Amino acid sequence: MQGANLSAVTEFILIGFSTFPNLQLMFFLLFLLMYLFTLLGNLLIMVTIWSERSLHMPMYLFLCALSISEILYTFAIIPRMLADLLSTHHTIALMACASQMFFSFTFGFTHSFLLTVMGYDRYVAICQPLRYNVLMSPRGCACLVAWSWAGGSVIGLLVTSAIFQLTFCGPSEVGHFACHVPPLLKLACGTDVQVVAMGVGLVCITALLGCCLLILLSYAFIVAAILRIPSAEGRHKAFSTCASHLTVVVVHYGFASVIYLKPKGPQSLEGDTLMGTTYTVLTPFLSPIIFSLRNKELKNAMKKTFLSKLYPEKM
């Protein structure tokens, strides 16, 4: 590589939506509405759990932590994306890019770890009901949440420090709407780029597959336990406590696998951008809807909490 090409990049240009010049206003309005709905839905879930004593149990503590991680994850990416959709200047400083990557990976993987913890909670509730209060004590639940946040932070720090110790030689155009790993690796130069790419990929895929396998293992035991319940009503009641979590897991890992496990090959900027929005905008948007509609206890508690404020004389 010639010395002229080795000038270090100090800022990037995010060009993810530049291929949709006539659709940027429509994307802005659509993503803004979805983002506001995501914030509102998660805040409603948190307020309901906080105010309704019947929901002060481990499953809903984990759901509250999940809502917090989802709010923070979307806050790390979407406001900047919305601003870029209305702006003609899409530059982002190197440190701002590193910060966005750190927080998006931290909150994203915290979300995955919390989903795994929720799967373990359902396993204990259905397969080990007599030991539930011991295994899911307040201290035990707090430790599980803390370890989830710590794990997400460690992965965020590992990935970000590995990527930003590389030298970026240009061009400075990032083929994405956020500071995402693959397009940044294309801008890096040096002999250790391939090693860093393999290391980061190994860490991310190992963490995602590890969480996914633990959830699958939990549900294998859950299904076996449910099938041993003699009455159809009992089986339905047991499974209904898992339905919302299982649906969110399928959506979360379905879109994550599209992002992280897609085969290498020629890819268009348009395809990568639209694929990125599924995990960044669509998944967080769907999560509170699924939990609100598929979880009967939470749905009833939301009605009770907010209808009592709107129509206090009827409650």
Side-chain angles (χ1 to χ4, degrees), residues 25-247:
L25 181 59
M26 186 195 75
F27 280 142
F28 171 80
L29 294 173
L30 176 63
F31 295 152
L32 176 63
L33 288 174
M34 293 175 75
Y35 178 54
L36 292 176
F37 190 92
T38 300
L39 291 179
L40 179 62
N42 282 297
L43 287 172
L44 288 177
I45 288 173
M46 291 163 60
V47 169
T48 302
I49 293 171
W50 179 266
S51 59
E52 188 61 42
R53 285 191 169 275
S54 64
L55 299 183
H56 291 182
M57 56 182 70
M59 179 171 68
Y60 295 105
L61 166 68
F62 299 139
L63 179 55
C64 196
L66 194 76
S67 292
I68 293 171
S69 72
E70 203 154 68
I71 288 173
L72 293 174
Y73 173 76
T74 54
F75 184 73
I77 298 176
I78 296 181
R80 168 80 204 201
M81 182 184 76
L82 292 173
D84 282 346
L85 282 169
L86 291 183
S87 173
T88 56
H89 303 286
H90 304 149
T91 58
I92 183 170
L94 193 72
M95 287 304 297
C97 189
S99 297
Q100 186 187 66
M101 179 178 288
F102 169 73
F103 288 118
S104 63
F105 270 83
T106 294
F107 301 135
F109 276 94
T110 297
H111 194 85
S112 295
F113 294 143
L114 286 170
L115 284 175
T116 307
V117 167
M118 292 174 77
Y120 174 68
D121 171 75
R122 292 299 81 208
Y123 158 75
V124 175
I126 293 173
C127 301
Q128 305 282 340
L130 299 179
R131 301 180 62 197
Y132 186 80
N133 290 332
V134 175
L135 295 174
M136 289 295 165
S137 64
R139 183 176 179 179
C141 292
C143 285
L144 288 171
V145 172
W147 278 111
S148 297
W149 282 95
S153 299
V154 168
I155 290 182
L157 187 61
L158 284 174
V159 171
T160 306
S161 59
I163 294 298
F164 282 89
Q165 59 86 29
L166 296 170
T167 300
F168 299 99
C169 306
S172 59
E173 293 184 342
V174 177
H176 207 271
F177 55 81
C179 291
H180 195 44
V181 170
L184 283 175
L185 285 172
K186 292 178 182 177
L187 307 183
C189 55
T191 57
D192 54 349
V193 174
Q194 288 301 319
V195 175
V196 169
M198 288 175 58
V200 167
L202 186 63
V203 167
C204 294
I205 291 172
T206 300
L208 282 173
L209 289 181
C211 290
C212 189
L213 289 174
L214 287 173
I215 293 172
L216 288 174
L217 188 62
S218 296
Y219 273 100
F221 285 111
I222 288 170
V223 169
I226 289 176
L227 291 177
R228 290 197 295 269
I229 298 174
S231 68
E233 183 181 352
R235 289 194 295 271
H236 179 267
K237 184 177 180 181
F239 185 75
S240 65
T241 64
C242 308
S244 58
H245 173 256
L246 187 58
T247 306

